[in-house]
């Protein structure tokens, strides 16, 4: 199983898997199958990965990595708009899994990074999530998952230069990572919030090309088009997003966004308004 998924996974994750962090071979097998599923980046495989993570954690209730895999499923669901339950239900479950994972293993950097990411991104407890991600980097400075989420947590609090630095580290550490869209979209947001729309557009386009159905990438390329005067292109993307989610409204940005800095939220609202998103 490891041989099948190794080409797509970062070295630290494989090394952790080789350490077999459970005495149950059955739980370990379900975990590896779930890990393989989540890297296929489809809604159906996300559902399968969560099911396999749940089975692994039932077989071995102290298997921290299984809970962390469940956390990753909820992160991916939000990023791609694949929520199965209500947002409130998924937030509750993501929080539960994250806290259980940390309770079981406070020294596994990958567990800390994923738990922190879920708390910051899904649950919107940004400060606590950022602290966990920071500890993960202290334990393993080369852990790409932690670097991704360090970049995003910096973005959430408005430290765009620090965010860009973390995303650049990701590009150096793992330029062929299948999740590279996260760094590309992150750099697009960082440049966008700094008012560098041309640079933001370059990274947004790269992210959208890498993962066309990644909602964050689509939103930021729409915003870049809007603020750069490419209004028709922005409106086309907005129309597609509205088809995917007819309830999408500008007012939801302030209510649901992870971004904390008022000027960043206002910049996004202005761009979405130009693109034709309803108030």
């Amino acid at each position: 199983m490891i041989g099948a998924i190794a080409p797509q996974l970062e070295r630290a994750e494989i090394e952790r898997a080789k350490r077999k962090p459970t005495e149950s071979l059955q739980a370990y097998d379900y975990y590896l199958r779930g890990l393989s599923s989540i890297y296929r980046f489809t809604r159906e495989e996300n559902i399968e990965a969560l099911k396999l993570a749940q089975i692994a954690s039932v077989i071995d209730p102290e298997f921290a990595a299984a809970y962390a895999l469940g956390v990753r499923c909820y992160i991916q669901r939000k990023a791609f708009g694949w929520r199965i339950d209500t947002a409130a239900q998924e937030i509750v479950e993501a929080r539960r899994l994250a806290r259980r994972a940390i309770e079981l293993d406070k020294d596994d950097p990958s567990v800390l990074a994923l738990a922190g990411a879920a708390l910051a991104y899904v649950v919107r407890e940004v400060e606590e999530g950022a602290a966990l991600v920071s500890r993960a980097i202290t334990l393993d400075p080369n852990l790409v998952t932690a670097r991704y989420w360090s970049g995003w947590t910096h973005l959430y609090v408005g430290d765009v230069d620090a965010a860009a630095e973390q995303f650049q580290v990701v590009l150096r550490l793992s330029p062929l990572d299948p999740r590279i869209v996260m760094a590309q979209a992150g750099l697009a947001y960082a440049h966008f919030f700094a008012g560098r729309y041309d640079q933001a557009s370059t990274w947004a386009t790269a992210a959208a090309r890498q993962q066309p159905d990644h909602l964050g990438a689509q939103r930021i390329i729409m915003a870049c088009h809007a603020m750069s005067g490419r209004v028709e292109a922005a409106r086309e993307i907005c129309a597609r997003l509205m088809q995917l989610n007819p309830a999408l409204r500008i007012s939801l940005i302030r209510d649901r966004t992870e971004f904390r800095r008022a000027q960043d939220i206002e910049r996004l609202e202005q761009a979405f308004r130009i693109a034709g998103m309803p108030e």
Side-chain angles (χ1 to χ4, degrees), residues 7-8 18 23 26 35-36 58 76 97 117 119 125 131 156 159 165 179 183 192 255 265 274:
Q8 297 184 348
K18 287 179 179 176
E23 293 304 311
Q26 189 179 23
L35 197 61
S36 179
V58 168
Q76 192 180 80
L97 291 174
L119 291 176
E125 295 175 353
Y156 296 154
D159 193 347
E165 181 179 341
R179 299 161 298 172
F192 178 83
D255 293 337
I265 298 172
I274 292 170

Side-chain angles (χ1 to χ4, degrees), residues 33-172:
R33 287 163 56 190
L35 197 61
S36 179
S37 289
I38 203 165
Y39 273 89
R40 295 193 177 103
F41 297 101
T42 69
R43 187 177 189 272
E44 294 72 24
E45 291 291 347
N46 179 283
I47 294 170
E48 179 69 6
L50 182 58
K51 181 179 75 173
L52 293 167
Q54 290 168 337
I55 293 171
S57 64
V58 168
I59 295 171
D60 182 355
E62 297 189 355
F63 187 7
Y67 294 95
L69 176 58
V71 159
R72 178 176 282 183
C73 293
Y74 284 105
I75 293 169
Q76 192 180 80
R77 283 185 181 189
K78 181 175 178 180
F80 286 88
W82 296 335
R83 276 179 171 147
I84 309 302
D85 301 313
T86 66
Q89 288 173 307
E90 299 220 347
I91 286 171
V92 168
E93 185 61 9
R95 181 190 286 116
R96 182 187 73 81
L97 291 174
R99 296 203 183 286
R100 180 59 176 155
I102 300 165
E103 178 185 338
L104 289 169
D105 195 339
K106 296 181 175 64
D107 295 317
D108 184 325
S110 186
V111 167
L112 291 170
L114 289 168
L119 291 176
Y121 178 56
V122 182
V123 184
R124 293 172 60 198
E125 295 175 353
V126 175
E127 288 77 10
E128 182 178 358
L132 291 170
V133 172
S134 178
R135 173 162 164 72
I137 291 175
T138 299
L139 292 170
D140 185 353
N142 294 319
L143 181 63
V144 172
T145 299
R147 294 290 185 170
Y148 275 121
W149 287 107
S150 178
W152 281 100
T153 55
H154 279 300
L155 266 186
Y156 296 154
V157 298
D159 193 347
V160 297
D161 291 335
E165 181 179 341
Q166 291 298 316
F167 294 132
Q168 291 291 354
V169 171
V170 169
L171 295 176
R172 290 197 299 271

Side-chain angles (χ1 to χ4, degrees), residues 7 24 30 40 46-47 74 88 102 115 138 187 190 196 211 219 230 236 240 246 265-266 268:
S24 170
Y30 278 110
R40 295 193 177 103
N46 179 283
I47 294 170
Y74 284 105
I102 300 165
T138 299
L187 281 165
R196 299 186 289 266
Q211 288 282 354
R219 282 194 292 266
R230 298 187 289 272
E236 288 177 9
R240 291 200 297 270
I265 298 172
E266 289 165 3
L268 281 175

Side-chain angles (χ1 to χ4, degrees), residues 214-234:
H214 191 284
L215 296 184
Q218 289 297 327
R219 282 194 292 266
I220 191 60
I221 196 170
M222 177 183 71
C224 290
H225 285 333
M227 299 299 277
S228 300
R230 298 187 289 272
V231 177
E232 286 305 314

Side-chain angles (χ1 to χ4, degrees), residues 170-196:
V170 169
L171 295 176
R172 290 197 299 271
L173 287 174
S174 190
L176 300 180
D177 195 291
R179 299 161 298 172
I180 204 71
V181 63
M182 292 174 58
Q184 294 166 331
L187 281 165
Y189 275 95
H191 288 299
F192 178 83
F193 290 145
R196 299 186 289 266

